[in-house]
Amino acid sequence: MGKTMKHTLNKLLMPFVLAVALVAALGGCASQSDLVTISGDVMYRERIALPADAVIKVQLKDVSLQDTKAIVMAEMMTDNVKTPHAFEFQLARDQFQSGHTYAVGARIEVDGKLWFINTQSYIVNIDATEPVNVLVNKVGG
């Protein structure tokens, strides 16, 4: 192979080699240790079946700031609600700020009306692996 041919081949392959190297380097950036998994179940104590049009919403919120609305960091909303109802959020560790407080909240609505909601705070420890089990209580009578 002539010198000019090698030079042209190297010139053509270089962007490809750089792209492969970049992908390989970035692939190592998002390791499992960089992810925070928050999971658990939402349940209620009442012995009633929910209508088919019930919807459950589970949110992970930053509740650090007082006198202001909590910041929703992740949300899961689904129909086909059964209890207990499992949830899981996976977020990059760098989305969490040191010194902030995070909590999981849940609600169940039917036809846009609130039926169940958590009445206590479920604080999340982002370094723990235990599930966060959220009890929702019936609203009204």
Side-chain angles (χ1 to χ4, degrees):
M1 199 182 307
K3 192 173 184 178
T4 307
M5 182 92 161
K6 280 184 184 176
H7 181 68
T8 303
L9 190 56
N10 285 342
K11 210 172 178 181
L12 291 173
L13 286 177
M14 189 55 76
F16 176 74
V17 170
L18 288 174
V20 169
L22 182 63
V23 168
L26 289 177
C29 290
S31 71
Q32 283 300 103
S33 64
D34 292 339
L35 292 177
V36 173
T37 300
I38 298 163
S39 62
D41 290 308
V42 176
M43 61 199 96
Y44 58 85
R45 289 189 178 134
E46 287 77 2
R47 294 183 168 259
I48 61 171
L50 293 170
D53 58 345
V55 174
I56 189 167
K57 182 190 295 185
V58 184
Q59 295 179 325
L60 173 65
K61 300 176 185 180
D62 181 339
V63 295
S64 302
L65 302 174
Q66 295 182 3
D67 299 328
T68 186
K69 195 172 181 179
I71 299 167
V72 177
M73 297 182 62
E75 180 177 279
M76 178 199 96
M77 198 161 105
T78 184
D79 52 7
N80 191 20
V81 181
K82 293 180 179 34
T83 184
H85 192 89
F87 67 89
E88 180 177 285
F89 300 115
Q90 281 197 332
L91 289 93
R93 186 166 292 280
D94 63 4
Q95 288 185 266
F96 296 92
Q97 296 180 37
S98 178
H100 280 226
T101 304
Y102 302 94
V104 173
R107 62 191 297 131
I108 299 173
E109 296 178 1
V110 177
D111 264 343
K113 292 186 179 181
L114 183 62
W115 275 37
F116 291 89
I117 192 165
N118 62 292
T119 56
Q120 76 176 59
S121 186
Y122 293 92
I123 302 299
V124 172
N125 176 352
I126 64 168
D127 295 316
T129 57
E130 300 89 38
V132 179
N133 295 314
V134 179
L135 179 66
V136 291
N137 297 306
K138 185 110 172 78
V139 174

